[in-house]
């Protein structure tokens, strides 16, 4: 499979924020399939990013369920309800709080299909907006942990970065019969983008070429995509042509698309918001090194928690400058 | 029991006995299988606790759900799971309920609503609550029953699950199978306050406590709760004190309690209690023996079938992980 | 209050008022700082809830411990944390309690036993229980106080922490500061049963419920519990219903409740209630005004100091991570 | 710093199991320092691996605390008690159950020193025996998750594989002022080894050369060490000289020792029991590739949960044969 096939199909588009795209996706799937429902805190009020706005009014309190502050129950109820024939969308508010339900996600949901010998599917979507948000909320509200989830057998892991993919991936996730960890790009929720009109599904496991280029391949995803595109533009101005791959599906990841691009450019950078040490970038880098024998330059956060003060928070953050420096340094 | 006709109570008692003896025989055979090295993995036995699943599950329909624990053989059998497939699972064979992937701690049989034993204490609570919520959403009138031990009442999911079921008025029966111990520790040493029933009531769940060795009492209390649950009155809670006659696992010699204590509790063995009751009601010994013999033969056959069943192959290890993104 | 001498109750009331007004003024200034963009991060205000920390902490010593929540300014101030450092923390400055690394949700001041606000609902419970267990081990007679919201009573740590404190008979005072809402949801919609006090009692923790807007009542109830705790009778629980007059965060307009409702509750503003009581006891208006003016000036100075304080440098981001294996 | 400096100091040794070494370590530290205490389930009964045998008798129930089954409390009580001046040893029974306390470990313990601006230390040891045990306990009792912990700022991560290191690292961990994730090698608890007599501390951050060699460097740790040594021996028989590095301290890890060895051998294999995808092996491989431009061969489990039936469990397991094949394939 190759990149951005699905966008070719789209004829008309509409512009909306990522939060709106998310709401549309859920609303469409709930209209289509009466077994789809959502549960999480404050959903009746529209959710903290507005991604559930108006849905309680349309679908009622039995399908848009505002729950107690009981993360481990939210997660495990989603699990039990998936085993019993529904397709729950579990809202964790932000990824950090999902750690209160980590046993349920990792020990129950991810392993169930296997432990039970494939008796049933576990079609549950776990929404975990991740990364540094806009509110400077410090260490317990800002983590990016995709590396953990990719390391967990049984899970599909998605990390959209655009409105189109937020919509297309959430819809694909809801229709997926595996548990899907949906790592939404928290900081990008209010940003707008084009979304193909009509039924729009993003295929799972297919990367998107966000910018074509010939000198260096830059693999990235989620909140770092806009920054990566800025860096690519700066590199362009400096005479380096950068191909930016928005990986977007982290498990399975589109190894073929990445290898094809790197085989062409012979230079690779991988950049993500998460801590570099033990990040998913290490897996991509190790894979490229194994397959193509190339040295990959990794960019990620230092191994520090996210701090409150903006200057400290920025030190954690991967900037366009840091990506540009990595592009220049890559060989 | 007062109102029940003598014939009916005998019929019911014999049905209970059949279930309880099947559970016991299954586990005695599992112990033998483990001791002989035919069953590779650790097994937790519920010998002495059989009245609880037997009495509770007699109130459940096939389409009702059950979520269980690491000590779940009794719950599975009482809910109607196939013992041949269960035994094969303990043997790690492809004919097992989980194709040998789960073992004793993960036996599940979705075809009878058994949503799994569970390796995590308290792990079944949310599953049962979720299944009940799904049933409502799908306009099914199934209910969920959730078994857990006395140790689970000190874990967060107990609070979260009971509160949730009460808030959403869900059809869930919670059963605390209180076998006096949580692993090597006496439950009373780690549980403060007025006990599980008081906790459930404070959280807003109707609760009853009953002698967990008396299968009729368990049955009646569960029936009362299940009737309320099916009538839409929300969740119920049953506390059933009993005693774990064996060790925590097949290899636990239980040095933390005296032989006298165990012997004392053997006097309350629910199978023996039920038999003497049936005896008093005029059931003769041969009829009781027949039940034992039948169960034993069933388990011998299950062992035999498990022994002969094919082992999984290496390639099987890669199946059933996930549909998208599975290895190989 | 019956037994207290008139002069004493006035003295006490004025002390309460000072604490409550300092909390309120701190938060009013924090809101201004946020609105002006001087405070970068989200702030949760406890305006309307000041009687709870003021009444509770008046029973605590400097060496006692407090664990708090995301809405913790009041707990910090009442426990004696330095408001200048607190304000600097909100500004994200090096002179902040946490050198600008924590912000409002992580303010801590170990020098007065404040073991931290907390970004996780229910996250402080275990910290307080652990500090109490440490105090016993170190043969200190300090106690722990743990504040949490009405939302936290539905999270696992509530059950686990209360049970633990009761099992080990630890010196912990649990305070449920029930401000009617958990974020955008009415607490009564998500909490089943007979409420926090009944839950605590069922778990074996002595519990009292008291009007959380009446600082004298909070003080008296907390005193009764703290006396028992210090006497070695184990943990206590205080339920203090009150009302969050502002939004969940500084930018929440709270569309989920009516203006009428808020106005109604303004009638129970604990600061106003205390002032009218003091007034009735003969304290004159100028004395009350002086308290407000003093607090306001203190906060203006704290704002000024925070404004002038140095911002951290990039290099500071790498400090305080860990002693072994830190980056750079 | 170089490898195995500390063993040189030892004059006499005693032989004991890893579980006994653990018990000795804790007992010695508890005798030395009255602020050291332990909390976890069934500790009065000696713990499930016998690593606490007799300690309740010696130290009493206030210092060897048998707790309710309340993982999130066990973890957070350890945290609070560390803030309040004691040095708690938190026993999680097995790593898998620690997921019930993951919020407390990751959101509270790991970040506390940072969030609070360095006001205090968090000297807590979290014991999490990991990996496939001896009882065939399937997916929820067999995970290896060191990669997650290494990815978590604020934590020290140790993974001893021998009796000497179990003792020396547990003692070092207890004296460490940072939170230490102590990943004990569950399957190896009953195996015996030599332990230096007298006070024995293993330095944190220093790898051990478990076998010297010149052709290939094999980096490994924890439960896989004995298997790796078998593979090295087989390679030796096949004429390949393998240098086996027991990394043992995973954060910080001894980059210098690894790079020195690989710079010498020019061929590197990294092998661990955990799932290969997103495993800590990826970090080591990416680092070696970055620093030395070499292609590293990774060996780890397939991305599947651990199954119950021995043959399936073995398919997950990294065997000496698989390591040997990697050694032969490495270049
Ligand atoms: C969350 C969690 N903690 C610890 C364990 C280890 N463990 C297995 S069974 C058990 C005792 C459980 O006691 P109880 O709930 O009374 O059930 P019983 O074994 O008596 O049936 C423990 C501690 C576990 N499986 N899960
Ligand atoms: C475990 C967890 N879940 C969700 C949140 C998000 N959250 C922050 S405050 C809050 C409401 C808490 O309500 P309550 O406990 O009553 O405290 P209050 O805000 O009223 O002071 C929620 C849901 C969180 N911080 N932690
Ligand atoms: Mg028990
Ligand atoms: Mg509240």
């Amino acid at each position: 499979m190759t990149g951005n096939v699905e966008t070719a199909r789209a004829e008309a588009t509409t512009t909306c924020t990522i939060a709106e795209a998310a709401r549309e996706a859920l609303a469409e799937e709930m209209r289509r399939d009466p077994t789809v429902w959502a549960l999480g805190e404050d959903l009746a009020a529209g959710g903290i990013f507005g991604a559930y706005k108006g849905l309680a009014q349309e679908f009622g309190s039995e399908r848009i369920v505002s729950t107690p502050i009981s993360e481990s129950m939210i997660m495990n109820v989603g699990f039990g309800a998936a085993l019993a024939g529904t397709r729950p969308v579990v809202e964790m508010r932000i990824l950090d709080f999902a750690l209160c339900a980590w046993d349920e996600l990792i020990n129950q949901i991810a392993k169930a299909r296997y432990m039970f010998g494939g008796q049933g599917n576990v079609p549950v979507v776990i929404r975990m907006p991740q990364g540094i948000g806009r509110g400077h909320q410090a260490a317990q509200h800002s983590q990016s942990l995709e590396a953990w989830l990719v390391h967990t057998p049984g899970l599909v892991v998605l990390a959209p970065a655009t409105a189109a993919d937020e919509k297309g991936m959430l819809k694909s996730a809801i229709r997926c019969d595996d548990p899907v960890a949906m790592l939404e790009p928290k900081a990008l929720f209010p940003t707008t983008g084009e979304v193909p009109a009509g039924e729009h599904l993003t295929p799972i496991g297919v990367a998107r070429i966000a910018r074509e280029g010939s000198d260096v391949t830059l693999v990235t995803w989620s909140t770092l995509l806009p920054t990566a595109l800025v860096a690519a533009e700066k590199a362009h101005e400096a005479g380096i042509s950068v191909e930016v791959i928005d990986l977007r599906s982290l498990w399975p990841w589109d190894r073929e698309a990445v290898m094809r691009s790197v085989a062409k450019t012979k230079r690779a950078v991988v950049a993500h918001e998460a801590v570099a040490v033990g990040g998913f970038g290490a897996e991509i880098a190790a894979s490229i090194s194994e397959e193509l024998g190339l040295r990959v330059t990794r960019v990620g956060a230092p191994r520090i928690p996210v701090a409150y003060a903006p200057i400290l928070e920025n030190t954690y953050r991967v900037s366009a400058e840091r990506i540009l420096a990595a592009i220049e340094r890559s060989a | 029991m007062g109102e029940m006709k003598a014939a009916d109570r005998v019929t019911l008692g014999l049905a209970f006995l059949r279930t309880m003896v099947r559970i016991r025989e299954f586990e005695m055979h599992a112990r033998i299988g483990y001791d002989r090295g035919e069953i590779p993995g650790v097994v937790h036995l519920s010998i002495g606790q059989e009245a609880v699943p037997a009495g509770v599950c007699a109130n459940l329909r096939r389409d009702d759900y059950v979520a269980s624990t690491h000590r779940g053989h009794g719950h599975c059998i009482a809910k109607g799971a196939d013992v041949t497939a269960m035994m094969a699972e303990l043997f790690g064979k492809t004919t097992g309920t989980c194709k040998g992937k789960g073992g004793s701690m993960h036996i599940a049989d979705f075809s009878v609503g058994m949503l799994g034993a569970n390796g995590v204490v308290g792990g079944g609570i949310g599953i049962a609550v979720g299944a009940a919520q799904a049933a409502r959403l799908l306009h099914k009138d199934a209910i969920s029953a959730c078994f857990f031990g006395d140790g689970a009442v000190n874990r967060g999911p107990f609070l979260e699950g009971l509160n949730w079921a009460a808030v959403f008025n869900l059809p869930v029966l919670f059963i605390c199978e209180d076998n006096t111990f949580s692993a090597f520790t006496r439950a009373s040493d780690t549980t403060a306050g007025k006990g599980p029933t008081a906790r459930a009531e404070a959280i807003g769940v109707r609760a009853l406590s009953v002698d967990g060795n008396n299968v009729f009492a368990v049955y009646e209390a569960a029936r009362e709760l299940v009737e309320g649950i099916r009538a839409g009155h929300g969740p119920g809670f049953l506390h059933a004190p009993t005693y774990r006659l064996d060790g925590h696992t097949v290899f636990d010699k239980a040095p933390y309690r005296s032989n006298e204590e165990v012997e004392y509790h053997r006097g309350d063995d629910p199978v023996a209690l039920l038999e003497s009751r049936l005896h008093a009601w005029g059931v003769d010994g041969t009829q009781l023996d027949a039940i034992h013999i039948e169960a034993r033969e069933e388990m011998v056959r299950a062992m035999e079938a498990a022994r002969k069943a094919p082992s999984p192959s290496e390639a099987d290890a890669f199946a059933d992980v996930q549909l998208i993104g599975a290895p190989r």
Side-chain angles (χ1 to χ4, degrees), chain A, chain B:
Chain A
M1 283 192 283
T2 48
N4 59 346
V5 284
E6 84 286 1
T7 53
R9 266 189 264 116
E11 302 194 348
T13 64
T14 57
T15 303
C16 67
T17 65
I18 291 191
E20 285 160 358
R23 192 190 53 205
E24 271 305 291
L26 181 57
E28 286 178 16
E29 293 306 301
M30 288 183 71
R31 282 178 209 131
R32 193 185 58 79
D33 180 349
T35 71
V36 176
W37 61 295
L39 63 165
E41 298 152 13
D42 294 318
L43 296 199
I48 54 171
F49 301 107
Y52 296 83
K53 220 163 151 185
L55 298 187
Q57 287 70 29
E58 179 173 352
F59 299 103
S61 63
E62 299 250 307
R63 290 182 71 199
I64 295 289
V65 180
S66 275
T67 71
I69 307 179
S70 303
E71 278 76 11
S72 85
M73 230 6 76
I74 299 172
M75 189 75 83
N76 227 13
V77 164
F79 173 44
L83 292 181
T86 64
R87 306 185 83 84
V89 175
V90 165
E91 170 59 57
M92 280 285 126
R93 206 173 182 106
I94 56 173
L95 165 67
D96 313 71
F97 304 149
L99 301 194
C100 300
W102 215 243
D103 164 60
E104 290 77 8
L105 176 58
I106 305 299
N107 283 333
Q108 312 287 352
I109 291 176
K111 296 171 176 48
R113 191 164 203 284
Y114 197 74
M115 293 189 302
F116 298 154
Q119 280 182 68
N121 296 327
V122 189
V124 55
V125 180
I126 304 105
R127 299 178 67 171
M128 300 180 277
Q130 78 164 4
I132 299 174
R134 301 187 158 219
H136 305 286
Q137 296 200 73
Q140 292 178 337
H141 288 68
S142 309
Q143 290 164 94
S144 294
L145 297 172
E146 66 268 21
W148 290 9
L149 297 161
V150 170
H151 190 48
T152 305
L155 296 181
V156 168
V157 187
L158 305 181
T162 64
D165 282 345
E166 174 70 31
K167 180 166 183 188
M169 297 194 111
L170 183 52
K171 284 171 67 89
S172 293
I174 291 170
R175 296 190 194 183
C176 179
D177 281 329
D178 290 319
V180 178
M182 180 85 186
L183 298 167
E184 292 160 291
K186 193 198 296 168
L188 305 182
F189 268 129
T191 63
T192 57
E194 301 287 294
V195 178
E199 180 87 328
H200 169 62
L201 293 161
T202 304
I204 292 173
V206 180
R208 186 176 70 91
I209 310 295
R211 176 184 175 124
E212 297 199 4
S214 52
D215 298 333
V216 183
T217 298
L218 170 58
V219 182
T220 191
W221 54 85
S222 189
T223 48
L224 217 53
L225 178 68
T227 314
L229 289 170
V230 169
E233 183 56 30
K234 290 192 181 183
H236 171 74
E237 287 161 16
I240 310 173
S241 167
V242 178
E243 180 144 298
V244 180
I245 297 186
D246 174 5
L247 201 60
R248 68 185 180 173
S249 179
L250 305 188
W251 192 267
W253 63 281
D254 194 343
R255 204 180 164 102
E256 206 185 310
V258 170
M259 296 305 165
R260 194 181 325 110
S261 176
V262 179
K264 173 179 81 178
T265 60
K266 301 277 189 303
R267 280 165 68 183
V269 174
V270 52
H272 52 59
E273 178 174 327
V275 166
V277 173
F280 185 48
E283 175 65 32
I284 309 267
S287 300
I288 293 173
S289 162
E290 276 157 16
E291 190 158 330
L292 303 173
L294 288 168
R295 195 194 300 245
V296 179
T297 306
R298 289 186 288 157
V299 190
R303 194 173 177 278
I304 62 177
V306 177
Y308 167 72
I311 188 167
L312 302 173
E313 192 186 76
N314 277 335
T315 306
Y316 176 97
R317 218 185 277 273
V318 172
S319 61
E321 290 66 37
R322 281 191 58 211
I323 299 178
L324 182 63
I327 290 169
E328 287 169 346
R329 177 166 94 240
S330 69
Chain B
M1 292 312 302
E3 327 137 33
M4 209 179 275
K5 272 193 272 159
D8 288 349
R9 70 187 186 187
V10 165
T11 310
L12 200 58
L14 287 171
F16 291 150
L17 186 66
R18 222 165 275 124
T19 303
M20 289 163 65
V21 169
R22 288 179 73 231
I23 296 171
R24 177 143 324 168
E25 287 295 335
F26 180 88
E27 294 202 321
M28 306 275 265
H29 283 79
R31 187 162 57 192
I32 292 168
Y34 181 83
D35 288 343
R36 286 197 192 148
E38 293 183 315
I39 289 176
V42 171
V43 177
H44 302 82
L45 304 181
S46 62
I47 290 175
Q49 309 174 200
E50 298 88 345
V52 184
V56 167
C57 292
N59 292 287
L60 300 182
R61 303 191 316 227
R62 187 186 165 99
D63 65 341
D64 290 330
Y65 296 105
V66 164
S68 171
T69 69
H70 55 287
R71 201 178 301 286
H73 304 144
H75 314 139
C76 292
I77 293 173
K79 188 63 177 50
D82 173 36
V83 292
T84 308
M86 284 176 62
M87 190 63 83
E89 187 59 29
L90 300 195
F91 274 65
K93 298 300 184 74
T94 55
T95 53
T97 51
C98 310
K99 304 182 192 160
K101 286 187 167 134
S104 169
M105 271 193 293
H106 304 295
I107 291 178
D109 186 348
F110 290 8
S111 68
V112 298
M114 240 303 303
L115 299 181
N118 210 302
V120 177
V121 169
I125 295 175
I127 298 172
V129 174
Q133 201 147 5
R136 172 185 299 166
L137 206 67
L138 300 174
H139 308 293
K140 293 183 186 169
D141 64 349
I143 72 168
S144 279
C146 179
F147 293 91
F148 48 83
D150 43 279
V153 305
N154 297 324
R155 279 210 64 227
F158 175 85
L159 167 66
E160 297 191 6
L162 268 66
N163 179 62
W164 186 294
V167 162
F168 297 112
N169 200 45
L170 294 174
V172 186
L173 176 63
F174 297 99
I175 307 105
C176 178
E177 192 170 324
D178 182 346
N179 65 1
T180 314
F181 293 92
S182 50
F184 314 145
T185 299
R186 212 167 278 275
S188 53
D189 289 346
T190 55
T191 306
K194 304 171 200 160
T197 308
R199 290 186 184 186
E201 276 170 353
I203 302 171
V205 178
R206 185 172 175 223
L208 295 174
S209 191
V210 75
D211 175 1
N213 293 327
N214 179 341
V215 65
F216 277 100
V218 172
Y219 172 74
E220 291 295 330
R223 192 175 64 172
E224 191 180 329
L225 292 169
V226 165
E227 277 170 4
I229 292 165
R230 290 204 200 277
H233 300 153
F237 183 89
L238 185 65
H239 179 223
T242 174
Y243 193 85
R244 193 193 72 210
L245 289 171
D246 269 40
H248 170 55
T249 60
V250 274
F251 57 74
D252 170 29
K253 304 251 178 320
Y256 43 83
R257 63 187 189 184
S258 69
N259 288 338
E260 291 70 44
E261 177 181 326
V262 179
E263 285 317 314
Y264 172 84
H265 284 283
R266 271 192 214 290
D268 290 330
D269 179 334
V271 173
L273 286 183
L274 175 58
E275 289 186 335
S276 64
R277 190 171 222 174
L278 287 168
H279 215 77
W281 289 344
V283 179
D284 74 15
T286 53
Q287 215 179 332
L288 302 181
D289 287 350
I291 287 175
H292 284 268
I293 290 165
E294 200 184 317
R296 209 165 295 146
E297 285 174 349
E298 182 186 14
M299 301 312 155
V300 168
R301 282 195 307 275
M303 291 274 275
E304 207 44 56
R307 217 167 267 136
K308 292 197 185 125
S311 283
S313 69
E314 290 207 359
D316 292 336
F318 298 95
D320 305 320
V321 179
Q322 58 196 102
L323 297 160
I324 297 185
R328 283 311 127 93

